[in-house]
């Protein structure tokens, strides 16, 4: 199985360079290469299966109609490229666009608005709401931060995707966990999957300095991952042992050497995924009920407070990359590139920061809570792109066909190029990293409480409790649970009345 995976990694690389990837319809991939709700990753590897075919009719022809997509300016090149650039990922995006245009006889146009930074998010949402409520059919598809999608639902500007022809959410190019948790009262207002490259890019992981690990004579975490023993205690022990006061200040600062750094405030959510902490669960009616006050969550907050506040060798970046001050982020990237940091929290896309690093580095899944945990799990940070159709669209057939065709095409072409070629070949330094990427991707989970944080509002309190060293989660949760329950109730009511 390992040899097969290496073979396909190499094959995808060759095909991408040769610009022949559009003909890979008959090639195979591991099921672990698809984002799934849950997977063990410990026992039997997944079997090889053919790429799934979509169910779009062969004779679809929309007469050259233009479908305009509203996209965040900062992320638009993951979806739309006007020309080839020579970069394997950019060119795969271009080929996907081209193939869908030819297949459906449509034109694709993109309207770009800034929408990543905190202030820009509000402006983006307001633009969508104002445009749609004015009856302006300026765009037929909107790609928004998943985090902000609930705002569009509450404003009543999105259609129920389950009523749209040609969308088949049972196919592997749609994120099944997101579909499951997002379907409420028989309605689904947004979706993501291979249609959004950022769903892959925003997957939480850890990067580590292999050379520094060897200098300290530490056991390979790769071996521990395969043995099922890569746990929070192992991470803590390794990280604490690597601290050095390099500038002799007797105070831990950014000029020192660290064992572990949380790269971004939002990366504390990596432990919600890694420790398999449940924010919400479905009740008997299929609606989300909060369960974030469990004993395990309380123990996790206590443990993380001790990790970050009782050890010089651990650094917690209190800033978000959605803000304006990125100086600490830059310092942490420099620290890792200069070999002064053993472990750093990351997203898949952060690998580009370390491409020219002179030290060897590898990738790991977030550690388990303990060895009894079934598998290695993670989250996709909830700022990836999700897609919805405005209520102003009168004929949804071509829009549904475009969504399905792009997701299907990306599943066979763009996603493999990014995952198999860019991540596993272009950015990886060792053979073991390719296996780790498979394990991490296969362990992505979705949870209503994190994806719909804007409604539930609990995960930020988890992050802030760790940041501010407030280990008494039981008390914190008691004060915030009523608001979360009320907010979910109002949200569900708005969906039922839509």
């Amino acid at each position: 199985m390992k040899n097969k995976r290496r073979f396909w990694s190499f094959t995808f690389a060759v095909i991408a360079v040769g610009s022949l990837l559009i003909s890979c319809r008959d090639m195979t991939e591991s099921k672990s290469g698809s984002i799934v709700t849950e997977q063990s990753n410990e026992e039997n590897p997944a079997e090889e299966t053919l790429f799934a075919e979509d169910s779009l009719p062969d004779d679809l022809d929309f007469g050259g109609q233009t479908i305009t997509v509203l996209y965040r300016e900062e992320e638009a090149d993951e979806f739309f490229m006007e020309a080839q650039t020579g970069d394997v990922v950019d060119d795969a995006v271009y080929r996907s666009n081209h193939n869908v245009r030819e297949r459906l006889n449509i034109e694709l146009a993109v309207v770009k608005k800034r929408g990543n930074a905190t202030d820009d998010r509000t402006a983006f949402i307001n633009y969508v709401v104002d445009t749609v409520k004015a009856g302006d059919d300026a765009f037929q598809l909107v790609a928004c931060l998943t985090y902000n999608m609930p705002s569009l639902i509450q404003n009543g500007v999105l259609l129920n995707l389950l009523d749209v022809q040609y969308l088949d959410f049972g196919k592997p190019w749609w994120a099944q966990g997101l579909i499951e948790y997002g379907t409420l009262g028989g309605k689904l207002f947004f979706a993501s999957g291979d249609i959004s490259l950022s769903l892959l890019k925003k997957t939480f992981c850890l990067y580590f300095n292999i050379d520094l690990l060897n200098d300290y004579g530490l056991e390979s975490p790769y071996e521990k991952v395969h043995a099922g023993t890569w746990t929070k205690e192992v991470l803590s022990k390794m990280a604490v042992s690597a601290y050095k006061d390099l500038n002799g200040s007797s105070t831990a600062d950014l000029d020192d050497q660290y064992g572990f750094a949380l790269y971004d405030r939002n990366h504390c959510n990596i432990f919600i995924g890694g420790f398999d902490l449940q924010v919400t669960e479905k009740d008997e009616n299929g609606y989300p009920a909060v369960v974030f006050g469990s004993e395990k969550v309380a123990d996790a907050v206590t443990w993380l407070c001790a990790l970050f506040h009782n050890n010089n060798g651990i650094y917690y970046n209190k800033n978000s990359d959605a803000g304006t001050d990125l100086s600490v982020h830059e310092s942490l990237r420099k620290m890792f590139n200069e070999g002064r940091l053993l472990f750093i929290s990351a997203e898949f896309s952060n690998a580009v920061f370390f491409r020219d690093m002179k030290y060897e580095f590898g990738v790991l899944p977030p550690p388990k809570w303990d060895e009894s945990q079934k598998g290695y799990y993670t989250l996709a940070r909830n700022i990836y792109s999700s897609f919805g159709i405005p209520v102003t669209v009168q004929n949804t057939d071509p829009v549904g066909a475009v969504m399905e065709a792009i997701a299907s095409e990306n599943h066979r072409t763009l996603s493999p190029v990014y995952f198999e070629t860019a991540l596993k070949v272009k950015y990886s330094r060792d053979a073991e990293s390719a296996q780790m990427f498979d394990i991490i991707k296969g362990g992505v989970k979705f949870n209503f409480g994190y994806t719909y944080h804007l409604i539930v509002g609990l995960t930020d309190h988890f992050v802030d409790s760790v940041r501010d060293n407030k280990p008494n989660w039981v008390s914190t949760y008691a004060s915030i649970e009523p608001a979360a329950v009320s907010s979910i109730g109002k949200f569900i009511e708005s969906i039922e009345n839509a």
Side-chain angles (χ1 to χ4, degrees), residues 470-487:
K470 295 181 178 179
N472 190 350
W473 178 249
V474 174
S475 176
T476 298
Y477 185 76
S479 68
I480 60 178
E481 183 189 44
V485 172
S486 175
S487 182

Side-chain angles (χ1 to χ4, degrees), residues 246-276:
L246 296 180
N247 59 7
S249 67
S250 300
T251 302
D253 55 45
L254 289 173
D255 291 323
D256 291 341
Q257 175 178 295
Y258 283 81
F260 173 57
L262 195 76
Y263 175 68
D264 185 90
R265 171 194 182 276
N266 299 289
H267 282 198
C268 194
N269 291 297
I270 193 174
F271 298 106
I272 294 177
F275 296 166
D276 199 21

Side-chain angles (χ1 to χ4, degrees), residues 127-313:
Y127 174 75
V128 175
V129 173
D130 292 345
T131 302
V132 174
K133 288 194 171 182
D136 188 349
D137 188 26
F139 44 85
Q140 293 75 54
L141 194 59
V142 56
C144 182
L145 274 171
T146 300
Y147 174 91
N148 285 127
M149 273 298 188
S151 293
L152 298 184
I153 297 174
Q154 288 177 309
N155 277 283
V157 297
L158 298 180
L159 289 169
N160 177 11
L161 296 180
L162 299 183
D163 292 336
V164 177
Q165 191 173 6
Y166 301 126
L167 289 173
D168 186 349
F169 292 116
K171 294 294 188 179
W173 40 84
W174 296 111
Q176 298 304 310
L178 185 64
I179 302 302
E180 176 189 353
Y181 282 104
T183 302
L184 299 170
K187 299 174 183 177
L188 175 70
F189 294 97
F190 68 87
S192 192
D194 288 300
I195 192 172
S196 168
L197 187 59
S198 54
L199 180 56
L200 262 178
K201 287 184 172 183
K202 301 305 179 183
T203 298
F204 283 130
C205 62
L206 297 177
Y207 291 124
F208 75 105
N209 186 315
I210 297 174
D211 292 331
L212 192 58
L213 185 95
N214 292 335
D215 289 345
Y216 278 86
L218 299 173
E219 183 179 349
S220 169
Y222 290 146
E223 296 177 8
K224 291 189 174 294
V225 170
H226 290 304
T229 59
W230 173 237
T231 65
K232 65 183 188 301
E233 285 80 11
V234 174
L235 170 65
S236 174
K237 185 177 180 180
M238 287 185 174
V240 171
S241 69
Y243 175 75
K244 277 187 177 180
D245 181 11
L246 296 180
N247 59 7
S249 67
S250 300
T251 302
D253 55 45
L254 289 173
D255 291 323
D256 291 341
Q257 175 178 295
Y258 283 81
F260 173 57
L262 195 76
Y263 175 68
D264 185 90
R265 171 194 182 276
N266 299 289
H267 282 198
C268 194
N269 291 297
I270 193 174
F271 298 106
I272 294 177
F275 296 166
D276 199 21
L277 304 178
Q278 302 304 308
V279 185
T280 59
E281 292 180 351
K282 283 194 172 184
D283 63 17
E284 64 276 10
N285 298 313
Y287 289 124
V290 294
V291 294
F292 211 37
S294 68
E295 181 179 352
K296 184 178 180 181
V297 176
D299 290 345
V301 171
T302 299
W303 188 85
L304 288 167
C305 283
L307 174 73
F308 286 107
H309 298 283
N310 296 346
N311 298 293
N312 282 341

Side-chain angles (χ1 to χ4, degrees), residues 55-177:
S55 53
L56 292 172
D58 292 335
D59 59 350
L60 279 181
D61 187 330
F62 293 105
Q65 180 177 342
T66 298
I67 302 299
T68 301
V69 185
L70 176 65
Y71 225 96
R72 302 191 320 282
E73 179 181 312
E74 304 92 331
E75 310 294 336
D77 60 1
E78 73 170 17
F79 179 83
F80 181 79
M81 293 293 296
E82 293 184 358
Q84 298 186 71
T85 68
D87 176 85
V88 291
V89 177
D90 288 350
D91 290 353
V93 173
Y94 174 82
R95 286 194 297 272
S96 177
N97 295 163
H98 172 79
N99 292 347
V100 171
R101 284 192 183 101
E102 292 291 310
R103 180 181 185 184
L104 301 180
N105 188 17
I106 56 96
E107 293 297 328
L108 282 175
V110 173
V111 174
K112 302 176 184 179
K113 296 284 184 182
R114 295 191 63 81
N116 274 3
T118 302
D119 293 341
D120 293 331
R121 295 177 188 182
T122 301
F124 188 98
I125 293 298
N126 289 341
Y127 174 75
V128 175
V129 173
D130 292 345
T131 302
V132 174
K133 288 194 171 182
D136 188 349
D137 188 26
F139 44 85
Q140 293 75 54
L141 194 59
V142 56
C144 182
L145 274 171
T146 300
Y147 174 91
N148 285 127
M149 273 298 188
S151 293
L152 298 184
I153 297 174
Q154 288 177 309
N155 277 283
V157 297
L158 298 180
L159 289 169
N160 177 11
L161 296 180
L162 299 183
D163 292 336
V164 177
Q165 191 173 6
Y166 301 126
L167 289 173
D168 186 349
F169 292 116
K171 294 294 188 179
W173 40 84
W174 296 111
Q176 298 304 310

Side-chain angles (χ1 to χ4, degrees), residues 449-467:
Y450 177 63
T451 303
Y452 288 72
H453 167 73
L454 203 62
I455 300 300
V456 183
L458 294 176
T459 53
D460 267 359
H461 290 283
F462 176 93
V463 171
D464 292 344
S465 291
V466 176
R467 179 197 64 190

Side-chain angles (χ1 to χ4, degrees), residues 1-11 431 435:
M1 178 63 180
K2 291 180 180 178
N3 289 334
K4 285 185 179 180
R5 283 181 176 170
R6 289 171 181 167
F7 170 75
W8 288 120
S9 295
F10 173 75
T11 302
Q435 299 176 34

